[in-house]
Amino acid sequence: MKILITGGAGFVGSALAIALKQNYPHYQVLALDNLKRRGSELNLSRLKAAGVEFTHGDIRSKEDFDALPAVDAVIEASAEPSVLAGLDGTPDYLINTNLFGTVNCLNYALKHKANFIFLSTSRVYPIKTIETLNFVEEATRFALSDEQPVPGVSAKGIAENFPLDGARSLYGTTKLASELLIQEYNEFYGLRTVINRCGVLTGPWQMGKVDQGVMVLWIAKHYFQQQLGYFGYGGTGKQIRDMLHVADLYRLIDWQLHHLDQVNGEILNVGGGLESSASLQELTQVCQEVTGHTIPIKAVAETRTADIRLYVTDNTKVTNLTGWKPEIGIRRIVEDITAWLAENEKDLAPILK
């Protein structure tokens, strides 16, 4: 099998590329990336050592695809992933990458009749609707109630039939627009596709920032003994997310590559689920235990733009269709990332400290 991974030097793309090459040494795995995100250059030596073929290119450029060979499958893992991207009034890079870049990926896949696996985001679900959901305030977290004002949500989390009306961030909108185009290519061009709406992805080699990669950011601040803050929702740190280790995501993508007929045309919510969820307050406790460091955390009551109180993925559909479910919990995620920080401290300190 020949596979192209766009965003192949990014956190998710490089993890998938390296794992695929390790598990299928006879596969040809190509990684395409423009290396815009700081830290992605650190993955080049890792890709080379694994036998992944790297091409410096940009999905915004149709000409960059013309130089690529035919492949059997495309994994579209490229994106400007920040939920705050474009909110400063300059959304051009965001839209050109996340929407028009996806069109170039689709046309390349169509040209070679390649299967198309798309990594979308839970951010396609509207902010205001999520913020009006019924919840209970527990000792260390907010939790979803079973009784809700809209379909597609329960105490287990948010499912694929959650309403899509309303604003969701420019980032979420570009990904949803891409999803709509992918469905058209599937229906009218016969392109075989699957869309994965991923929750919070994390793991080693993610260059965490405030607006994207919060898990790594939180652990790194503990590791390097720097300050953090509980922002919004009263400053209590009770806002909750589920976390999916990239190794768990890889197991699903591996399955989809080899069984695409069984999920062709599907949209799947993919995340850590309730079992691998944590509030910032709970995450802080685990970070303290694993790193041995207690750091100052300020409380800021004011809620930030585009933030949400809680998001947990309901994995029922993807589990029923594929048998997949996440296996790596919060504590092991923290342990993995802490070990990675210790092993690569010299290279990572300038980026994460």
Side-chain angles (χ1 to χ4, degrees):
M1 189 182 286
K2 291 183 179 180
I3 303 161
L4 173 70
I5 302 178
T6 60
F11 160 56
V12 174
S14 63
L16 297 177
I18 291 166
L20 280 167
K21 195 64 182 173
Q22 286 172 342
N23 286 293
Y24 305 98
H26 55 293
Y27 284 11
Q28 184 180 7
V29 182
L30 311 171
L32 179 75
D33 203 292
N34 67 1
L35 301 179
K36 182 174 186 289
R37 188 177 174 105
R38 191 178 180 197
S40 58
E41 69 280 357
L42 298 178
N43 289 321
L44 295 183
S45 59
R46 299 175 60 236
L47 291 168
K48 185 175 182 179
V52 175
E53 300 171 34
F54 174 74
T55 297
H56 187 212
D58 198 310
I59 65 166
R60 294 174 298 168
S61 169
K62 179 186 176 296
E63 291 81 4
D64 286 355
F65 284 95
D66 293 339
L68 295 172
V71 295
D72 304 299
V74 175
I75 300 172
E76 224 285 63
S78 61
E80 165 50 65
S82 169
V83 74
L84 300 179
L87 296 184
D88 60 356
T90 52
D92 302 53
Y93 178 78
L94 172 77
I95 293 170
N96 289 333
T97 298
N98 290 8
L99 179 52
F100 298 130
T102 298
V103 173
N104 288 333
C105 294
L106 283 165
N107 288 333
Y108 166 79
L110 191 62
K111 176 182 176 182
H112 299 297
K113 297 181 170 55
N115 292 337
F116 194 84
I117 297 175
F118 185 64
L119 298 188
S120 190
T121 173
S122 60
R123 281 293 188 165
V124 300
Y125 298 116
I127 292 170
K128 287 181 180 176
T129 312
I130 292 175
E131 288 291 83
T132 58
L133 296 178
N134 295 330
F135 67 94
V136 292
E137 184 171 354
E138 299 177 351
T140 59
R141 65 163 62 192
F142 300 121
L144 284 165
S145 306
D146 259 329
E147 293 296 318
Q148 293 293 345
V150 295
V153 59
S154 68
K156 286 195 300 183
I158 289 174
E160 293 82 358
N161 59 329
F162 192 85
L164 289 172
D165 293 338
R168 72 208 77 243
S169 77
L170 288 167
Y171 162 64
T173 296
T174 57
K175 299 298 276 188
L176 181 60
S178 291
E179 286 188 13
L180 293 172
L181 282 168
I182 290 165
Q183 292 173 75
E184 298 297 317
Y185 274 66
N186 178 278
E187 178 71 21
F188 294 108
Y189 295 145
L191 190 68
R192 300 200 312 168
T193 66
V194 63
I195 294 166
N196 298 295
R197 288 178 178 163
C198 299
V200 176
L201 296 169
T202 193
W205 297 102
Q206 185 178 39
M207 304 301 159
K209 301 190 293 183
V210 170
D211 55 345
Q212 198 272 329
V214 67
M215 184 88 171
V216 168
L217 173 74
W218 213 260
I219 299 164
K221 292 296 186 187
H222 277 84
Y223 181 86
F224 291 116
Q225 299 185 67
Q226 297 179 299
Q227 188 173 9
L228 280 169
Y230 293 143
F231 287 87
Y233 306 102
T236 61
K238 290 186 178 182
Q239 57 264 56
I240 183 177
R241 300 288 189 275
D242 60 338
M243 313 286 182
L244 183 65
H245 195 295
V246 71
D248 273 332
L249 175 66
Y250 166 75
R251 291 189 302 105
L252 177 63
I253 300 301
D254 184 355
W255 189 95
Q256 291 176 345
L257 274 170
H258 298 96
H259 304 85
L260 196 66
D261 281 341
Q262 296 178 46
V263 288
N264 182 26
E266 296 289 354
I267 296 174
L268 305 171
N269 280 5
V270 175
L274 204 54
E275 297 78 17
S276 184
S277 66
S279 67
L280 289 178
Q281 192 181 133
E282 292 163 352
L283 181 57
T284 296
Q285 179 67 35
V286 179
C287 288
Q288 289 172 352
E289 293 168 3
V290 172
T291 66
H293 299 155
T294 299
I295 62 171
I297 300 180
K298 62 182 179 180
V300 180
E302 184 181 354
T303 302
R304 293 180 296 190
T305 302
D307 204 358
I308 51 177
R309 183 188 308 276
L310 37 73
Y311 186 88
V312 177
T313 306
D314 183 347
N315 285 315
T316 300
K317 181 179 178 181
V318 68
T319 301
N320 288 343
L321 279 174
T322 70
W324 174 89
K325 58 183 178 181
E327 296 175 350
I328 302 171
I330 294 294
R331 187 175 187 90
R332 188 178 144 196
I333 291 173
V334 175
E335 290 170 348
D336 273 9
I337 293 171
T338 302
W340 165 68
L341 287 166
E343 192 175 331
N344 301 276
E345 184 173 331
K346 183 181 175 184
D347 289 333
L348 297 174
I351 301 170
L352 293 173
K353 188 173 181 180

